[in-house]
Every structure is written in C-alpha cells, then in structure tokens.
Amino acid sequence: MSKLDKIEELQGLIKEDSSNFQARRELAVLLMDCGFNEEALQHLLYLSKMFSYDDGIYYNLGIVYEKMKKFQKAKEAYEKAVEIEPDAMDAVYNLGLVYTELQEYDRAIECFEQVISSDVEDSNSYFNIGLVYFKKKDFLQAIDYFQKTIDINDEDIYAHFYIGNILKEFGDTESAKEKFEKVISLSPDYSWAYFNLAVIYYEENDLDNAEQ
C-alpha cells in the first residue's frame, strides 16, 4: 500500500469515527512525512487539546512548525515536550536546532550539551555546538567542537568543511586546502569545497589550479 493510499484509508477511519485517536495520530505523522504540513498541523493541534500531557504530540508539532519555518512556534512545542518528558533527547536536540535558528545561542549549547551528557558519542551535537560558536565568531571554540565531531565521525563532511573555512580565515591556507580536499574525497559533488579551493589558488595567483 502506498503512502497516499494509507492516508486515504486513515482519513476514512477518522470520518467513520472522529474519536479514533490512534488513526488520527498515525495520519498526522504520515501527512507530515509526505509534506502535507498544514493538514498534519490541524490533526496534531486537535490531538494536543485532547492529550495535553503527551510529549510525542508536542514533539511532532515542533517538527511540523520547524518544517513550516515557524521557529517560535516550534520552540514552544519542543519546550512543552521537554517539560512533559525531560529525558526526551530527540526533543531536546531539536529544541537546540530551533534555538540556533532564533539566535538563542547559549540555550542551544545547553540543549546539545544535555544530549551529549546522555550520549557522549553523539557527533551531531558536537557539530551543532561548533556551528553555534562559528555563528558567534568564536572560531577557536568552533574548531575544537568540529574536531570532536571528526574524532567520532571522520566522514562528517561539514565538520571538515567548516574547519577548512576557519583555517582559511586564520591564514593557514595549506591546511585549509587539505580540509577542502578531504571534503571532496568524501563527497566529490560538494561544489563549495571546489569553490573555496579555487578562491585560495586565485589569491595565491595560481591561476591554473584556480581555473581547474
């Protein structure tokens, strides 16, 4: 059964029995996965009124609002999910992402540190702390956390890429080149790595390599 067929089936069940909350919850998640965010939102808001202490509903509300770029609403939903279930690390992590979008950087770091305290091998949280420090232009802290990301997952192209950018900013162009080459070796289609290499070669007046 395709996802669209399943959506139609669930919609039929709810039409027959509007109190079929399990079907409504399943439908909301499926609509969200298929990109029907407005429709998913309406079902989740309905469920949140019926089950005000269900952290999963607020977590999914946060995801929908985030997909819709309504970050303040997403923040409120994730905060509610964490209030109900403080150990819901997926909600804590996503809350950190939303805090980052809203430039509430210190609160974002607190969220990612909380995730790390639960799982010291969570490379994504180290990366996002690095990204927060990068946005704050605290490049020394940023490079430290990007390196911690790589120590756990050497194939994280974005951590290598951001380290390359910082090294270039610091004037260490040879090390920056190595990082951009590393990105290309991991992801040959990552165009920004080629572009940044070209810029370095151009600034060094190595026009043949820059053109290549």
Side-chain angles (χ1 to χ4, degrees):
M1 180 182 293
S2 71
K3 288 185 176 181
L4 290 179
D5 288 338
K6 185 63 175 179
I7 286 172
E8 287 186 10
E9 178 187 289
L10 291 168
Q11 287 173 332
L13 291 173
I14 294 169
K15 188 175 181 179
E16 291 175 5
D17 179 10
S18 62
S19 65
N20 188 336
F21 300 122
Q22 183 56 41
R24 191 181 293 274
R25 181 193 290 263
E26 189 177 347
L27 175 60
V29 173
L30 192 54
L31 287 167
M32 180 174 62
D33 289 344
C34 292
F36 301 116
N37 296 316
E38 290 285 355
E39 293 84 351
L41 177 62
Q42 296 309 310
H43 289 291
L44 289 168
L45 288 172
Y46 178 87
L47 289 168
S48 70
K49 293 176 182 177
M50 302 300 295
F51 304 98
S52 59
Y53 291 98
D54 188 319
D55 64 288
I57 291 172
Y58 287 100
Y59 171 70
N60 284 322
L61 266 175
I63 293 175
V64 170
Y65 281 129
E66 202 173 348
K67 287 175 177 285
M68 297 170 71
K69 307 297 183 184
K70 296 182 178 181
F71 296 114
Q72 184 61 38
K73 289 284 190 180
K75 167 186 165 181
E76 294 168 3
Y78 288 135
E79 285 178 339
K80 183 66 175 179
V82 173
E83 178 187 334
I84 296 169
E85 180 47 73
D87 293 329
M89 288 301 115
D90 287 343
V92 173
Y93 178 84
N94 284 14
L95 181 56
L97 296 178
V98 170
Y99 281 145
T100 303
E101 288 287 346
L102 294 172
Q103 299 183 16
E104 297 183 34
Y105 293 138
D106 291 340
R107 300 183 77 179
I109 290 171
E110 288 176 6
C111 287
F112 297 129
E113 286 179 341
Q114 186 177 344
V115 176
I116 290 169
S117 69
S118 176
D119 179 8
V120 295
E121 295 294 307
D122 191 302
S123 63
N124 290 326
S125 290
Y126 286 107
F127 173 81
N128 280 295
I129 293 175
L131 186 60
V132 169
Y133 280 121
F134 185 87
K135 289 176 179 291
K136 294 175 69 173
K137 299 190 183 302
D138 186 343
F139 296 130
L140 291 177
Q141 286 274 40
I143 204 169
D144 181 47
Y145 278 93
F146 289 139
Q147 185 58 53
K148 288 177 180 177
T149 305
I150 292 168
D151 290 341
I152 297 170
N153 177 19
D154 187 54
E155 295 187 357
D156 191 311
I157 61 171
Y158 302 109
H160 287 292
F161 182 76
Y162 275 101
I163 289 177
N165 282 328
I166 294 169
L167 292 170
K168 182 178 179 296
E169 183 75 17
F170 287 167
D172 187 352
T173 55
E174 290 305 313
S175 297
K177 284 185 211 174
E178 291 176 8
K179 280 298 177 185
F180 296 134
E181 292 286 2
K182 174 72 174 181
V183 172
I184 291 168
S185 71
L186 293 170
S187 180
D189 295 328
Y190 196 74
S191 61
W192 280 106
Y194 291 103
F195 176 79
N196 285 358
L197 274 172
V199 170
I200 291 173
Y201 284 125
Y202 182 81
E203 290 175 348
E204 292 176 344
N205 205 32
D206 185 347
L207 301 185
D208 289 338
N209 273 322
E211 182 177 1
Q212 181 183 346

